[in-house]
Amino acid sequence: VPEKAAASAVGPRGNVQRIGVEKYQRIELLDTASLMPGDLVEVELISEAKNDYDYVVMTDPLPAGFEYVSPVSGYRWNWRSPVYCEYREREARFYVRSLARGPGNVFYRLRAQIPGRYLALPASGKGVYAPELKCNSSQETFLVKE
């Protein structure tokens, strides 16, 4: 949910000036959550690693009726180490060079576009060079109203 926020910046004469900034309040969406077209959804992939792992890839299928807010692939530094993000037509992939023991998470944003009832398929993770290392999440249902 968007909220009003301001920050201080240097003005044209070196004075302090208040400018508006983009800020959002996070509200948890429960299963079968109702959204409106244009609503912003922040996806958070949370991992809990029991050991230290190298070369892990996480895949999150894109739900129908949604689109990426910023579909620019590249490195993101919102994990403990850099993560390479790829935004594709059907899924988002996150390549983690080293996954440290303990909790970690990756964020990205979607926007609801088309009214309807949609199923978000489970996200999955696996070791690139260790196929026995696997994980997955639960699926969610979203209702985008007109």
Side-chain angles (χ1 to χ4, degrees), residues 3-138:
E3 60 183 33
K4 298 262 183 192
S8 298
V10 177
R13 296 187 186 129
N15 56 336
V16 176
Q17 175 177 0
R18 300 289 288 171
I19 58 170
V21 293
E22 198 175 79
K23 187 172 181 182
Y24 296 95
Q25 176 187 3
R26 290 180 65 179
I27 297 174
E28 183 179 0
L29 293 177
L30 303 174
D31 200 21
T32 64
S34 295
L35 301 167
M36 297 297 291
D39 281 354
L40 191 66
V41 177
E42 186 170 65
V43 178
E44 180 179 12
L45 299 178
I46 301 170
S47 71
E48 180 69 37
K50 305 251 187 248
N51 294 309
D52 294 338
Y53 299 108
D54 290 332
Y55 301 106
V56 176
V57 62
M58 295 186 174
T59 306
D60 191 23
L62 178 66
F66 288 80
E67 70 177 16
Y68 299 113
V69 172
S70 178
V72 179
S73 297
Y75 280 97
R76 303 282 189 270
W77 282 266
N78 59 355
W79 200 296
R80 293 182 200 167
S81 64
V83 175
Y84 186 80
C85 306
E86 277 186 356
Y87 299 102
R88 298 179 176 210
E89 282 183 10
R90 297 182 182 214
E91 64 193 10
R93 286 189 185 171
F94 303 96
Y95 297 93
V96 182
R97 164 60 177 89
S98 72
L99 179 62
R101 182 184 322 166
N105 49 13
V106 170
F107 301 93
Y108 70 98
R109 291 183 176 166
L110 300 174
R111 188 171 304 281
Q113 289 297 314
I114 303 169
R117 179 178 294 276
Y118 300 107
L119 182 68
L121 295 174
S124 62
K126 64 180 180 176
V128 176
Y129 300 111
E132 64 275 359
L133 176 64
K134 296 179 185 177
C135 67
N136 62 343
S137 68
S138 61

